[in-house]
Amino acid sequence: MGFWNTFFSGQRCEHCNSYNTANIDFRDLSSEDQDMYWDTVGNVRPKDIYRCKDCGQLTIICQDGRKYWTHPAK
């Protein structure tokens, strides 16, 4: 399943290196995840957000090109 996402998603998970990721909207994140992002990154809007279907981690590409990622879901 992750094999096909290599062609469609193209974003590798920063934690487990899987390509089995799904592009999601920032508004779909929990308020805790949103607050943690703003506290860590500052006032830089997210550009693309991916959630790994294997480990549950978020990988967020910021507008300025930096990558932010979370720890795997417990």
Side-chain angles (χ1 to χ4, degrees):
M1 192 155 53
F3 172 79
W4 292 109
N5 281 342
T6 302
F7 299 107
F8 299 115
S9 170
Q11 179 58 46
R12 181 178 54 85
C13 175
E14 293 293 327
H15 181 261
C16 69
N17 294 323
S18 170
Y19 281 95
N20 193 15
T21 59
N23 194 312
I24 60 173
D25 192 88
F26 189 74
R27 293 171 288 187
D28 293 337
L29 299 179
S30 69
S31 60
E32 181 182 336
D33 283 336
Q34 290 180 12
D35 291 343
M36 200 169 16
Y37 172 79
W38 293 122
D39 290 345
T40 304
V41 175
N43 196 20
V44 179
R45 297 196 57 77
K47 179 180 175 190
D48 291 306
I49 303 167
Y50 300 91
R51 183 179 305 277
C52 180
K53 294 179 182 178
D54 294 331
C55 71
Q57 177 188 351
L58 293 172
T59 299
I60 302 176
I61 313 297
C62 304
Q63 290 288 347
D64 62 3
R66 290 183 292 161
K67 285 187 182 177
Y68 163 83
W69 60 89
T70 61
H71 296 290
K74 295 197 171 39

